[in-house]
Amino acid sequence: MSNLSRAELENLAKLARINLTDEELTIFGSQLGLILDSVAKVQEVVNDSIVPMSHALPMTNVFRPDVVGQSLSNSEALAAAPSTQDHRFKVPRILDEE
Amino acid sequence: MTDLTKLTAVEIATGIKSGDFSAVAVTKAHLDRISRIDSKINAFLHVDTEGALSQAKLVDEKRDAGKALGDLAGVPVAVKDIFTQKGVPTTAGSKILEGWIPPYDSTVVSRMKQADMVLLGKVNMDEFAMGSSTENSGYGPTRNPWDLDRIPGGSSGGSSAAVAGFMSSLAVGTDTGGSIRQPAAVTGTVGVKPTYGGVSRYGMIALASSLDQAGPFARTVLDAALLHKVMGGHDHHDSTSISAPVPPIVEAAKSLDLKGMKIGVVKELSGEGYQAGVLSLFQDSVAILKDLGAQIVEVSCPSFEYALAAYYLIQPSECSSNLARFDGMRYGMRVAEGNAGVEEVMSATRAAGFGAEVKRRIMIGTYALSSGYYDAYYGSAQKVRTLIAQDYAKAFQKADVLISPTSPVTAFKIGEKTNDPMAMYLNDICTIPVNLAGIGGMSLPIGLDPADSLPVGLQVMSPVMQDDRMYRVGGALEAALLNHWGAPLLDRAQQL
């Protein structure tokens, strides 16, 4: 049983940008272990000669004619923003305080 | 007086065109029923009363002016809350999008509007389409019209309940691993997942982009075909949209002729874990298909044993990437203002806005994609996907279509499986292989399990871009069953 350690879980939560409570960490620890054990079954049948399939359609690059179409106005694009300033999205600070 | 909510979509459209009743009357009848019974079902998250009535009025004016009307003009449709609709709240069943008003229409929505259909409102779903019961909605579970203590399936449970409960003639849903077909099966409705790329994903909030596909819910196979035709076809807004016409599905649904058709029964999709009533009704339908002139063959798809495992790696992986966009910066919820830095705000917002199942799947996906595990998990899952596509290719050499039960069980009780994610995942065992290979799949009702008097569905699978084949089989089986029953299955549901 590959139960995830507390440290592994905390690292995953950090990578996923989700704050988890102590209670969530406890529940997810056992649930994720069970799920990962179960899905590890895929390793039983695969070998190096099988080509992985990423997509159902054999498409590569798809282009459309390079013509200007309609797009949202500035005010439409900003209408649902949690915070705006000077016709732009206003976001929290992105650098640590010195 | 005719109860307008009991008519099929074809009957509604015909009645409006011939002037038997108005589109406004049809819309009002459905809005009345929603306001009368939806407090018991909780299918609708938002009823767009004004928008629906003004669209219906336009349809009546067009008719009165002698202008051409679409095949489904004036027919009410419920929209899964995963499709953006300009000016109408869209949440994807998540608190993180509560109150969001999209600035644009999804292609599915805009095509239904262009076809003169009446959009009644947005219906409930498992949060970001993750679930098989609609219990994972941030806005409470939806209940099955057949039994209010049971689930309507998921993730498109609002869509299935709206159609089964006669609150809407039609509905649209999305299917990533069975989210149209399983809810259709457990509510006695028809649900179709078209070939991947058959319907545009533009404006459809993404769960797992290589698997997601929009499709119709209806009470008859022909109604489903008509809606599928309206929704489908190439769209340059979606780079995975197939640039070919929609296959002749409406003609196929009307054909009722199965002579010479080879139908393959998938050996691996039966046996242990399947309810006895589900298996016996399935066998009854196989006998009917044989009587209708089809040739029944058995096919084997040995890799299906690994489909569930592959799916629960690929889907969470794509989901963990797609849901990174919900970061509290440009739209939706933002918490922990003040002096918090951007990463703290993101992490706090996502903690507050996402429910348990969404968090669980993002964590699994993050794990499967992280360095050191990528080859063993995600890479292996992609190889299993190849094996499954190869199994289908071999099976379709022997048969024109394949059939199986849609779901191993009938509708279960609300709360029965919420604490056991693995038990919940097993609901999708028959439907998942279809998404992994990108082929078409349909579920149609084949009877009530004698043990619990709940609907059972049969799944028809057709090769890529041969969607007409499943409509042909579905239409013929439906007609034979209706003849046998004497009345539609949904007439046997409780009165609400």
Side-chain angles (χ1 to χ4, degrees):
Chain A
M1 163 88 189
S2 55
N3 225 336
L4 292 181
S5 72
R6 191 83 167 190
E8 277 181 298
L9 272 173
E10 282 172 355
N11 183 48
L12 276 181
K14 186 168 174 278
L15 290 172
R17 305 287 188 274
I18 303 175
N19 290 340
L20 294 182
T21 62
D22 275 349
E23 199 192 349
E24 283 174 319
L25 285 167
T26 306
I27 297 170
F28 287 172
S30 61
Q31 286 179 338
L32 261 56
L34 271 173
I35 294 168
L36 288 168
D37 273 353
S38 168
V39 296
K41 190 176 176 175
V42 291
Q43 294 155 13
E44 291 171 17
V45 279
V46 300
N47 59 55
D48 291 344
S49 67
I50 305 168
V51 180
M53 174 176 167
S54 62
H55 209 271
L57 299 175
M59 286 177 169
T60 47
N61 291 333
V62 177
F63 298 104
R64 65 167 175 82
D66 186 15
V67 287
V68 178
Q70 276 188 323
S71 57
L72 297 178
S73 68
N74 182 279
S75 62
E76 282 174 320
L78 293 176
S83 180
T84 63
Q85 187 182 319
D86 303 331
H87 309 292
R88 290 176 176 84
F89 293 106
K90 187 179 176 191
V91 301
R93 63 180 170 79
I94 55 169
L95 299 172
D96 284 335
E97 283 174 305
E98 293 299 317
Chain B
M1 203 187 104
T2 323
D3 182 351
L4 297 173
T5 62
K6 293 285 159 76
L7 301 179
T8 65
V10 171
E11 287 165 346
I12 289 173
T14 311
I16 290 171
K17 280 196 192 87
S18 61
D20 294 346
F21 40 78
S22 67
V24 168
V26 171
T27 303
K28 277 187 177 161
H30 285 88
L31 291 171
D32 282 353
R33 183 157 173 88
I34 293 167
S35 66
R36 208 170 67 243
I37 72 160
D38 199 38
S39 54
K40 294 179 207 165
I41 306 278
N42 193 33
F44 281 83
L45 295 178
H46 177 83
V47 180
D48 186 19
T49 305
E50 253 178 62
L53 284 172
S54 70
Q55 171 77 351
K57 203 160 159 269
L58 280 176
V59 173
D60 287 336
E61 284 166 7
K62 258 177 117 168
R63 194 201 81 89
D64 293 343
K67 288 185 186 154
L69 291 172
D71 288 343
L72 292 176
V75 177
V77 60
V79 183
K80 186 178 184 179
D81 205 26
I82 202 165
F83 295 95
T84 61
Q85 183 176 347
K86 191 174 179 175
V88 175
T90 299
T91 66
S94 182
K95 287 285 178 189
I96 210 165
L97 280 178
E98 189 164 25
W100 181 54
I101 311 282
Y104 72 108
D105 278 339
S106 53
T107 297
V108 164
V109 160
S110 65
R111 288 193 176 165
M112 292 194 297
K113 286 181 178 173
Q114 277 159 23
D116 303 316
M117 295 182 69
V118 174
L119 282 62
L120 293 175
K122 309 301 286 295
V123 283
N124 203 10
M125 54 184 284
D126 284 299
E127 183 175 8
F128 290 110
M130 292 179 222
S132 308
S133 67
T134 317
E135 292 168 291
N136 294 332
S137 169
Y139 304 92
T142 297
R143 291 164 187 278
N144 191 324
W146 288 82
D147 178 345
L148 300 179
D149 292 329
R150 292 178 188 269
I151 59 104
S155 65
S156 311
S159 307
S160 65
V163 172
F166 296 93
M167 290 184 279
S168 185
S169 174
L170 299 170
V172 288
T174 60
D175 189 314
T176 303
S179 284
I180 290 174
R181 291 160 288 157
Q182 181 259 6
V186 301
T187 57
T189 55
V190 177
V192 180
K193 185 208 93 75
T195 291
Y196 181 87
V199 177
S200 171
R201 292 185 296 108
Y202 180 70
M204 195 175 106
I205 296 168
L207 166 54
S209 304
S210 80
L211 305 166
D212 297 344
Q213 185 58 205
F217 279 91
R219 292 193 289 265
T220 72
V221 171
L222 178 58
D223 283 359
L226 288 163
L227 178 54
H228 181 164
K229 195 179 162 193
V230 165
M231 301 162 72
H234 183 249
D235 175 22
H236 71 80
H237 285 305
D238 173 3
S239 62
T240 59
S241 162
I242 294 172
S243 61
V246 178
I249 51 178
V250 174
E251 296 74 5
K254 291 178 181 168
S255 131
L256 309 183
D257 178 14
L258 296 185
K259 284 189 191 65
M261 199 151 193
K262 278 191 201 158
I263 299 179
V265 177
V266 183
K267 196 178 104 188
E268 284 77 9
L269 299 180
S270 75
E272 205 189 326
Y274 288 72
Q275 221 165 284
V278 169
L279 291 177
S280 70
L281 284 169
F282 178 74
Q283 288 310 327
D284 293 349
S285 284
V286 171
I288 293 172
L289 291 167
K290 206 171 170 185
D291 286 346
L292 291 171
Q295 189 189 335
I296 308 294
V297 294
E298 191 184 77
V299 299
S300 176
C301 297
S303 303
F304 283 14
E305 190 190 336
Y306 303 93
L308 195 71
Y311 177 83
Y312 278 101
L313 282 165
I314 292 169
Q315 192 257 49
S317 296
E318 294 189 17
C319 138
S320 71
S321 167
N322 271 326
L323 268 61
R325 76 191 56 176
F326 299 102
D327 56 7
M329 298 299 130
R330 294 151 300 156
Y331 54 97
M333 181 189 282
R334 179 189 289 184
V335 299
E337 290 272 14
N339 195 34
V342 73
E343 297 210 354
E344 293 164 84
V345 172
M346 277 182 205
S347 304
T349 300
R350 289 158 66 80
F354 289 148
E357 182 63 15
V358 173
K359 290 176 185 171
R360 217 164 12 236
R361 294 210 200 175
I362 291 175
M363 297 278 282
I364 293 167
T366 306
Y367 183 87
L369 292 176
S370 55
S371 67
Y373 299 107
Y374 182 94
D375 286 338
Y377 286 98
Y378 186 66
S380 299
Q382 285 189 311
K383 288 182 177 180
V384 169
R385 201 171 175 179
T386 303
L387 297 176
I388 286 161
Q390 287 171 351
D391 276 1
Y392 272 122
K394 275 183 213 147
F396 283 126
Q397 284 174 357
K398 284 193 190 167
D400 301 308
V401 297
L402 305 177
I403 57 170
S404 73
T406 307
S407 168
V409 295
T410 52
F412 48 89
K413 289 241 166 81
I414 290 173
E416 196 179 314
K417 300 187 182 181
T418 34
N419 293 320
D420 187 352
M422 280 314 298
M424 190 71 93
Y425 297 171
L426 284 168
N427 285 298
D428 303 327
I429 199 136
C430 304
T431 48
I432 275 173
V434 166
N435 300 78
L436 289 171
I439 65 169
M442 164 190 288
S443 178
L444 74 153
I446 54 166
L448 302 182
D449 185 329
D452 55 18
S453 302
L454 291 167
V456 171
L458 177 138
Q459 176 175 235
V460 191
M461 298 164 264
S462 53
V464 167
M465 281 311 272
Q466 309 287 334
D467 299 29
D468 49 309
R469 290 188 198 171
M470 61 186 172
Y471 279 100
R472 190 170 148 203
V473 173
L477 179 58
E478 175 186 65
L481 286 167
L482 189 60
N483 191 35
H484 177 63
W485 295 332
L489 195 68
L490 275 165
D491 283 8
R492 284 189 250 167
Q494 60 177 331
Q495 295 296 312
L496 287 167

